[in-house]
Amino acid sequence: MKNLILSAGVFTLLLSSCFFFGCKKDNSTAPNSPGLISVNAKDYLSANNYDKLIIQIQYVNGLQPSAGAVEDLKTFLSQRLNKPGGVEVTYSNINSPGKSVYTINDIRAIESINRGVKHEGRTITAYILFLDGEYSQNTSNLKTLGIAYGSSSMVIFEKTIRDLSGGLGQPSVSSVETTVCEHEFGHVLGLVNNGTGMTTGHQDEPHGKHCNNTNCLMYYTAETSDMLSNLLGNNVPVLDANCINDLKANGGK
Ligand SMILES: [Zn+2]
Ligand SMILES: [Zn+2]
């Protein structure tokens, strides 16, 4: 029994670290997806140029994210974005690209062939790909769960998430999906100091475009017992006041 508890604890600690250690964000100079109009964080946050958002959820067959996670993401975005025309989601599926390991170039190539939504008129779009393999930069004890790799493009390593969640002593699959999706979309919204300026200094600079508040959704890692219990309770971290203030100052709410 002791071994069981210990192993569950170690596994959860590893997973919680992976959320944020494993998150990578190309900086704002990352090229846009092929054929897409260049958009920036403010285009998502304010209604000046775009008043509606359509998110394309594209998944490899069998790896559709849970409905609850997608609803949570929609709610999260509706609370922060000025999109009077609403936030909508479309689903589409693709056959497996056939790899067990994917590079960013592989992921960009999949998007360029399969992305169906393009910014048009006053509708801005985002693309989230749910993949069946792991990230090429993973190590034996550091697994990437999601990457915001373009100004409107994110990948979620759904197979990795399912491998590491949903079991005894682990957070639920949907709570991990929600956390990773919202964290990556946070980068697309310009957090932290990633296209949306800071109203108060709160960037954890040694860890890139992340927040220095250990309880914030945009914190780079989660190593405390508080976070473990949050995850075990399936409580998805939320944005702290500094991150919300930044979004408000750049056209969000
Ligand atoms: Zn991140
Ligand atoms: Zn924050």
Side-chain angles (χ1 to χ4, degrees), residues 33-53:
S33 306
L36 282 177
I37 302 163
S38 177
V39 291
N40 57 42
K42 188 165 193 160
D43 288 329
Y44 286 100
L45 293 163
S46 88
N48 291 352
N49 294 331
Y50 300 95
D51 54 23
K52 179 178 177 180
L53 167 65

Side-chain angles (χ1 to χ4, degrees), residues 139-169:
T139 64
S140 58
N141 58 3
L142 187 64
K143 309 296 183 192
T144 297
L145 301 182
I147 307 172
Y149 62 90
S151 67
S152 67
S153 308
M154 292 149 272
V155 61
I156 306 296
F157 295 95
E158 180 70 13
K159 180 181 183 300
T160 308
I161 287 177
R162 294 195 188 186
D163 286 347
L164 295 175
S165 62
L168 182 67

Side-chain angles (χ1 to χ4, degrees), residues 202 211 213 216 218 240 243:
H202 65 106
C211 181
N213 181 343
C216 180
M218 297 311 295
D240 69 351
C243 282

Side-chain angles (χ1 to χ4, degrees), residues 23-24 183-184 187 210 218:
C23 162
K24 301 277 169 30
H183 180 99
E184 300 313 328
H187 286 310
H210 289 111
M218 297 311 295

Side-chain angles (χ1 to χ4, degrees), residues 1-14 168-170 228 232:
M1 191 61 184
K2 189 179 178 187
N3 281 345
L4 179 64
I5 292 169
L6 181 62
S7 61
V10 169
F11 204 42
T12 307
L13 180 63
L14 171 65
L168 182 67
Q170 298 175 340
L228 285 182
L232 287 174

